[in-house]
Amino acid sequence: MGQSVEIKDVWKSFGGFDAVRSATVKIQAGEFLSLLGPSGSGKSTLLMMVAGFLQPTSGKILIGDEDVTAVPANRRGIGMVFQKYALFPHMTVFENIAFPLKMRKLRRSEIESRVGQALDLVKLRDLGSRLPIQLSGGQQQRVAVARALVFEPPVLLMDEPLGALDKKLREEMQFEIKNLQQSLGVTMVYVTHDQEEALTMSDRVAVMNHGEMQQIADPKTLYREPGSPFVADFVGKMNLIEVTYVDQTASGALLKTAGGNRFSIQNLAVSTPDPERPMKIAARPETIALSRRNETSGTLLEGTIHQCVFMGSMTMVQVIVGPEDEVVYVQTEADASYKPGEVAYLEFDGSRTSLFAHGPDEN
């Protein structure tokens, strides 16, 4: 059912402001790609250009083998689900879903058949006669999805469709949308600012910031091997610590924090060691081991326990490091017994720690 979508060096400028800059990505037929980024990163603007509601300043957009850059939105055959659903309040659920089929002048019998199938697909068969106002937020979202899918589009675009739902319902709908996408084989382009949502649902994620695509990768690669400090910091919980390289010793790369604390990390790859160049190490809370004594042959980073937050399956520990009171987050077992004020030592897993050059031109 799905078709590929190719975005080739697309720019969108409003006056002197570049909302999207040189966006390039090939989305395979049947793939689920999320555009992830903070507010103002250009993700919704890019989606609107794929939909045809905005025209690129330059660049091309292809659906399948067809260049649709100048094709109006109503002739692209794309399904669209908006953030606020955009349901017609005076129409019933059935009439809302039937609307795109009536616009295509299908026979009444086929409209009834397709709407029935769409209602079954989103588990709303018994609610066809209700008005949108009589539905919950989750049910309205299902109607919007059914309306977008009923005419069997090859590409479905979604612009933060779960933002208005509570956490539990949002998580349930994430799996339902992903299951629908996989069962139908439709190509999905999904806009969100929620990192967990993007990682849960996507085959690949394109992280955007200031109109640019910072990194495009599958969720595991994005989480484990971020391509820049921005991606590392934006996707999931990440510790970013400014350091300078000191030396390579038997116990690993010897580093120094901005406050002067020295520590080593085994198995940390330092491609171009330069003692004068400031760098940042990026480490997830779950990749740092916490101990009360320095029992290794290397030099561990010393800190002071600031706070322990119980989070059910684990405890998040805040550790203050150095005279500048830098906070490092460490994930420990749920029953960890650390107390505020205790001295503790941090051991970094070099194989799961990223190192970035850091200067005036880096993010």
Side-chain angles (χ1 to χ4, degrees), residues 17-51:
F17 172 68
D18 295 326
V20 174
R21 306 172 63 190
S22 192
T24 299
V25 62
K26 174 72 177 285
I27 307 164
Q28 301 298 328
E31 184 179 14
F32 192 126
L33 179 96
S34 286
L35 300 175
L36 173 67
S39 297
S41 61
K43 56 190 186 297
S44 290
T45 300
L46 183 58
L47 193 78
M48 292 300 106
M49 288 190 283
V50 175

Side-chain angles (χ1 to χ4, degrees), residues 99-328:
F99 182 78
L101 301 178
K102 288 182 178 179
M103 293 297 97
R104 288 164 173 79
K105 303 187 185 303
L106 270 66
R107 296 191 306 274
R108 181 176 180 83
S109 60
E110 186 165 358
I111 290 176
E112 291 180 350
S113 174
R114 286 207 191 184
V115 173
Q117 291 172 2
L119 285 168
D120 286 339
L121 196 65
V122 296
K123 303 174 185 177
L124 293 176
R125 171 61 95 168
D126 298 328
L127 302 183
S129 61
R130 292 193 185 182
L131 293 171
I133 198 173
Q134 297 173 307
L135 304 178
S136 68
Q139 290 170 334
Q140 290 183 41
Q141 198 267 349
R142 292 169 194 247
V143 174
V145 171
R147 184 178 63 183
L149 289 172
V150 72
F151 62 94
E152 299 180 350
V155 179
L156 180 59
L157 311 180
M158 289 192 166
D159 189 9
E160 304 209 42
L162 306 182
L165 306 182
D166 62 66
K167 179 175 171 53
K168 185 174 185 298
L169 184 55
R170 187 166 66 246
E171 291 174 349
E172 290 175 0
M173 292 306 302
Q174 288 171 10
F175 285 102
E176 292 200 19
I177 290 172
K178 180 62 177 176
N179 288 337
L180 273 175
Q181 184 266 335
Q182 288 181 326
S183 64
L184 296 173
V186 65
T187 305
M188 183 86 79
V189 185
Y190 189 99
V191 163
T192 181
H193 65 273
D194 188 316
Q195 305 95 322
E196 184 177 328
E197 189 168 277
L199 295 177
T200 298
M201 302 176 72
S202 313
D203 297 316
R204 285 190 301 160
V205 180
V207 181
M208 297 189 66
N209 189 38
H210 299 310
E212 295 182 335
M213 288 187 173
Q214 297 271 316
Q215 187 175 359
I216 305 169
D218 64 89
K220 283 185 179 179
T221 300
L222 202 67
Y223 187 82
R224 295 175 179 174
E225 302 173 28
S228 70
F230 172 80
V231 174
D233 192 41
F234 188 77
V235 179
K237 190 72 176 175
M238 180 67 83
N239 295 295
L240 286 170
I241 305 171
E242 291 195 23
V243 298
T244 52
Y245 175 84
V246 178
D247 195 8
Q248 188 69 38
T249 69
S251 58
L254 184 62
L255 307 173
K256 183 174 66 175
T257 67
N261 288 18
R262 295 190 175 205
F263 65 107
S264 58
I265 302 180
Q266 290 186 344
N267 303 317
L268 179 65
V270 184
S271 57
T272 54
D274 181 356
E276 302 302 321
R277 186 75 183 274
M279 297 181 289
K280 284 186 178 182
I281 58 169
R284 301 284 180 194
E286 66 270 21
T287 68
I288 304 172
L290 197 61
S291 61
R292 288 185 170 86
R293 292 186 299 275
N294 185 357
E295 298 176 335
T296 73
S297 59
T299 304
L300 302 188
L301 183 58
E302 183 178 324
T304 304
I305 304 296
H306 176 63
Q307 189 175 20
C308 299
V309 181
F310 176 71
M311 303 182 72
S313 61
M314 55 86 176
T315 292
M316 189 67 75
V317 181
Q318 293 179 340
V319 184
I320 300 296
V321 174
E324 297 184 3
D325 293 342
E326 188 165 12
V327 177
V328 178

